[in-house]
Amino acid sequence: MADKPSDRNEKSGMSRRKFIKNSGLVAGGVVGGGLFGGLFTNQLQKKEPVTPHGNTNGELQDARVSINRAEDFAILSAATERIFPKDDLGPGAIELGVPYFIDKQLAGEWGVNAKEYMKGPFITNIQAAGTHNDERDQDSQGPNSATQVPIPTPRYQSILNRSEIFTLGLRKIDQVAQEDFGARFVELSPDKQDEVLRMFDEDKVEMKGVGSANFFHLLQQTTIEGAYADPVYGGNKDMMGWKMKEYPGPRASYLDKIEEKEFIKMEPISLRNYQGH
Amino acid sequence: MVVKLDKVDVVVVGTGWAGGVVSAELSKAGYKVVALERGKNVNRDDYIGVKDELRYTNRYEMMQNLDPETITSRNYLDETALPVRTRKEMMVGTDLGGGSVHWAGATYRWKPYDFEIKSKTIERYGKDKIPEGMTIQDWGITYDEMEKYYDRWEKTAGISGEPDPIGDKRSSDYPNPPMKESPAVGLFMETTKKMGYHPYRVPAGNLSQAYTNPDGEKINQCMFCSFCTQYGCDFGAKSDPLVTVIPTAMKTGNFEARTGAYVKRVLYKSGKATGVLYIDKMTGVEYEQPATVVVLAAFTFTNNRLLLLSGIGEPYNPKTKKGVIGRNFNGQFGITFLGARGYFKDKKFNYYMGAGALGGTLSDFAGDNFDHSKLNFINGGGIELRQYGDGAIATNHVPKGTPNWGPEFKKNSIYYANRSLVAWYTMATMSYWHNFTDLDPTYTDSYNDPLLRITYKYTDQDRVMAKFGIEKSREIMEEMGADIVDEDEIPHEFNHVYNGGHYAGGVIMGADPATSAVNNYLQMWDVDNLFVVGGSAFPQFAGHHPTATIGALGYRASEGIEKYLKNGGQLVKGKQESASV
């Protein structure tokens, strides 16, 4: 009774599609460089989407503690805003503080994979680092599916921790923007930014050490978390995410409301309110 | 240097429902019991006021730290297994009370059919109904024999429920009435009744009223606060070992729980277990804890791994199909709990409220309650609609066709935040010769001991049954009036995501020592003073949640351990059954 060979082993022999096009567009976009870098930074400060959140009220929590380069943070801000854009329903990722939320997450135990198994050997070829088993689009299922973030679940086999994946991924976004679209990511139109991000989502960009879809799913997951996690973590500014969703925040009891037929809308309260400080 | 401690009557590895029940019963009977728990010492105070979705649901606060140890996983025998590295892919509880503290609370008894599945399937459909390679077996115990243990555990836990209208014989009602009914649950109940089914309320470990159990432990009334699954209870209103069996054991004065104690080996000499070797994670000091009886009541993975590491029992060899430790690994993950999600355009539910086991269910398609003559599978499962209470991060369901991010995602995810319900099939999983555990040849834990390796793949039985359940769920969702109904997709192959906590087998019960590791008292055939208790004993998985059966087996094992402590010896005479696989 011979066992069936692994699909994965079969696939590894196949060549992956190559997506980074060597088109004429590449010529204009060189990463880094003294003069260009300086111009870039100046431009950032002028452009609206990269000035995350108008810090006019002394919001002292809003500063980078993990991502060193301002330009990486600008790319992060612009990308999260495309994933969760401002619209007539309410604020987008930047206004909600999502980029700062992500920066703080990357600085903590989750960002450095403190509680994950990070012992080798690592399967470092791109096939193993890519997204596995992505045929299920119904998220994580099981008894807790209602409490999971609805994104595909890649199998993590990278030697890189999440913070390192973000740094590589953000810079790769900018590289793809320049090589394929001829401009820095933050300077592209929203449609073009979406095109760049879609290439990552569809695992069409080659990255070193991690699949581009894995990076994108991390970015997507943390963007949603930043929009809706308790404000204590730096996102969901002023509970605006919860207000959009009519989510009431942590509360002690719905004992007298659980049988109620009509929808009950409540002003949200935060963990700080709940713990009664 | 290993520090040798004074001998105790019983040493128990693990403090969840299995270890908790055994600790309570034996310390009540006057025996000196030491329980070893690798996680932290926690109590109710640890769970008061911590309603934080990011920390508990998305960052897995109550789950094992995988840095020192995880499992490896593969589908096929000739593959190299890779470690399951992140807690997103590997949900296993830890700390005092174990996985039993973060459970949802759904509490089902398994059926007479489940305990005698092989005989009953052959009896009704003939031998050919069991496909080649399926290694299901009878448990060596019947439902009628298990009934009193179920009854006992339900009273300890204060389960709130009503009997299944097409269910099995019960010696008494649930100790508490069902929880209040939310409109979404009511809609499921009413609709499925109209469809000719027999719905009933999910029996719940979330208490419908304040209750004092037979051991004198008080459990409070559930507040429907929604911070339940993956959380410890804010109110002491979810039945778990921290509010029941552990305090019961403590009160006897005969019990000590040592936390931060990572067990490395069961010590074994001339056919007897002599104790366990563990390391104190705070000091790094290694201890030998000698005991008259050793009880492994840890999670399935740990029970399997400790036996393999200790060289106790014959490891299962898939090539020869001989050996027992690691045989019949099974569980509900991945392909189970598939169903259909309905989106309601003009109806809103207060879906941010709820409790782990608040819900409706039906058993019309469970076990052998329906005729399988024309179906290409055996067994079945419950169909459930549960109102856990959705967190804001979790509630991002969008109808199929909506992009996963961007403007349309935002619009739909917000619109449907309180407008979608899901019904699913809690289907059974059968065991096969090719699904098993052994030790990984490459990856090790932080003490350089090999990790446990899981080899697991789906079969046609799984896929066909999943499809059946999805179709039934869809019909119900349509009848409930959903405007859009999206069916879950059936995965082609197991994707190495161990979600939900329902992993079982590998140290299975049975009547025949050639195909089971433990007898029906959970006593090892090879080692009379070693009992292995928990989900690891399930020869295959039934179509309902496992906790009640683990609790009941805890009582069954306690009875066996007491018998052994009084009289010694092997408690059951093994039978030789036909060795056909």
Side-chain angles (χ1 to χ4, degrees), chain B residues 242-471:
Chain B
L242 295 180
V243 295
T244 57
V245 287
I246 290 173
T248 299
M250 293 287 186
K251 278 193 297 207
T252 64
N254 293 323
F255 174 70
E256 183 195 346
R258 286 182 206 143
T259 50
Y262 184 80
V263 177
K264 295 175 75 176
R265 294 287 187 283
V266 175
L267 301 168
Y268 173 79
K269 205 175 165 187
S270 357
K272 282 269 163 69
T274 58
V276 298
L277 177 75
Y278 73 92
I279 188 158
D280 181 336
K281 294 201 298 184
M282 299 290 281
T283 60
V285 176
E286 284 198 329
Y287 292 96
E288 179 185 338
Q289 177 60 66
T292 308
V293 169
V294 174
V295 182
L296 291 184
F299 208 68
T300 292
F301 296 138
T302 304
N303 282 354
N304 273 264
R305 183 165 178 258
L306 281 175
L307 290 172
L308 291 166
L309 284 176
S310 308
I312 298 175
E314 191 190 344
Y316 173 69
N317 180 340
K319 297 217 165 78
T320 61
K321 311 206 174 48
K322 298 243 181 317
V324 288
I325 308 300
R327 189 174 185 272
N328 280 24
F329 175 77
N330 66 84
Q332 288 180 313
F333 44 90
I335 200 163
T336 54
F337 300 100
L338 301 186
R341 180 172 288 277
Y343 295 88
F344 297 76
K345 286 190 172 147
D346 306 311
K347 201 178 238 166
K348 280 169 93 175
F349 302 94
N350 290 309
Y351 234 53
Y352 51 85
M353 310 175 185
L358 172 64
T361 187
L362 50 93
S363 302
D364 296 77
F365 302 106
D368 204 28
N369 285 355
F370 57 117
D371 183 16
H372 291 69
S373 323
K374 293 198 174 107
L375 298 169
N376 283 329
F377 62 91
I378 59 166
N379 214 328
I383 293 179
E384 286 186 336
L385 183 133
R386 302 267 289 271
Q387 183 166 346
Y388 292 90
D390 282 346
I393 302 170
T395 323
N396 278 294
H397 302 288
V398 288
K400 273 186 189 169
T402 308
N404 281 330
W405 52 276
E408 206 184 330
F409 167 78
K410 185 185 174 192
K411 199 168 138 259
N412 279 349
S413 61
I414 289 173
Y415 184 78
Y416 286 112
N418 289 295
R419 287 181 169 92
S420 93
L421 305 176
V422 65
W424 62 35
Y425 197 41
T426 66
M427 73 180 219
T429 50
M430 301 295 88
S431 294
Y432 298 86
W433 71 271
H434 49 69
N435 293 343
F436 67 101
T437 75
D438 63 357
L439 293 176
D440 191 272
T442 310
Y443 293 95
T444 58
D445 70 5
S446 52
Y447 305 107
N448 284 323
D449 281 327
L451 298 183
L452 188 73
R453 173 170 68 179
I454 308 292
T455 306
Y456 193 83
K457 65 175 183 177
Y458 297 145
T459 62
D460 288 342
Q461 148 94 18
D462 299 321
R463 289 180 277 255
V464 173
M465 182 157 35
K467 185 163 184 282
F468 177 86
I470 290 168
E471 280 164 12

Side-chain angles (χ1 to χ4, degrees), chain A:
Chain A
M1 217 185 293
D3 213 27
K4 208 180 134 219
S6 153
D7 286 348
R8 188 160 51 76
N9 290 346
E10 278 173 6
K11 270 181 208 153
S12 63
M14 289 160 54
S15 68
R16 285 170 69 87
R17 290 173 288 173
K18 242 185 147 348
F19 293 96
I20 307 299
K21 292 165 253 165
N22 292 320
S23 67
L25 289 171
V26 180
V30 184
V31 189
L35 178 61
F36 190 88
L39 284 171
F40 174 60
T41 314
N42 292 337
Q43 278 171 351
L44 278 189
Q45 286 154 0
K46 286 180 211 142
K47 289 197 77 131
E48 209 250 327
V50 296
T51 309
H53 192 64
N55 307 326
T56 50
N57 302 326
E59 281 151 322
L60 303 178
Q61 295 96 331
D62 290 354
R64 288 176 280 112
V65 292
S66 167
I67 296 172
N68 289 337
R69 295 186 194 169
E71 60 190 69
D72 291 346
F73 190 76
I75 297 160
L76 174 68
S77 300
T80 57
E81 184 68 19
R82 290 317 301 153
I83 290 168
F84 198 83
K86 184 180 171 78
D87 60 11
D88 52 10
L89 292 168
I94 290 175
E95 209 175 322
L96 289 166
V98 168
Y100 287 112
F101 164 88
I102 294 174
D103 178 72
K104 286 182 173 68
Q105 286 295 307
L106 295 177
E109 68 171 29
W110 185 82
V112 298
N113 295 26
K115 290 185 174 171
E116 322 293 15
Y117 184 80
M118 295 301 283
K119 214 170 167 181
F122 286 88
I123 307 300
T124 48
N125 65 59
I126 191 70
Q127 281 83 0
T131 305
H132 282 259
N133 309 299
D134 48 1
E135 75 268 22
R136 287 176 77 198
D137 70 350
Q138 283 277 298
D139 333 323
S140 309
Q141 269 139 357
N144 302 296
S145 67
T147 55
Q148 301 279 1
V149 186
I151 55 162
T153 312
R155 193 179 184 194
Y156 200 114
Q157 289 299 334
S158 179
I159 196 167
L160 305 168
N161 67 33
R162 297 185 180 95
S163 173
E164 291 164 334
I165 290 173
F166 263 86
T167 305
L168 284 177
L170 293 172
R171 290 177 192 169
K172 196 75 185 184
I173 285 178
D174 212 29
Q175 190 189 333
V176 170
Q178 291 174 72
E179 288 178 358
D180 283 18
F181 299 92
R184 309 299 295 242
F185 182 73
V186 295
E187 295 168 329
L188 292 177
S189 68
D191 283 354
K192 291 276 188 272
Q193 287 180 334
D194 287 354
E195 277 186 57
V196 174
L197 294 177
R198 213 169 289 126
M199 287 170 68
F200 284 79
D201 188 13
E202 291 167 4
D203 212 17
K204 290 177 176 174
V205 178
E206 289 202 23
M207 284 176 62
K208 208 172 169 183
V210 66
S212 59
N214 285 8
F215 158 65
F216 186 78
H217 294 154
L218 275 176
L219 175 65
Q220 187 189 358
Q221 176 196 341
T222 40
T223 301
I224 298 301
E225 287 168 354
Y228 295 121
D230 192 277
V232 70
Y233 294 103
N236 188 15
K237 189 70 78 188
D238 300 329
M239 299 186 279
M240 287 188 292
W242 288 354
K243 282 174 195 157
M244 275 189 282
K245 222 176 208 182
E246 300 177 321
Y247 179 73
R251 283 168 188 268
S253 174
Y254 298 117
L255 187 60
D256 58 340
K257 299 187 177 73
I258 189 73
E259 293 170 314
E260 199 64 52
K261 289 210 158 47
E262 294 304 312
F263 186 77
I264 305 168
K265 196 177 158 180
M266 298 175 223
E267 274 301 299
I269 62 166
S270 74
L271 194 59
R272 185 182 165 85
N273 304 137
Y274 184 68
Q275 291 180 353
H277 290 290

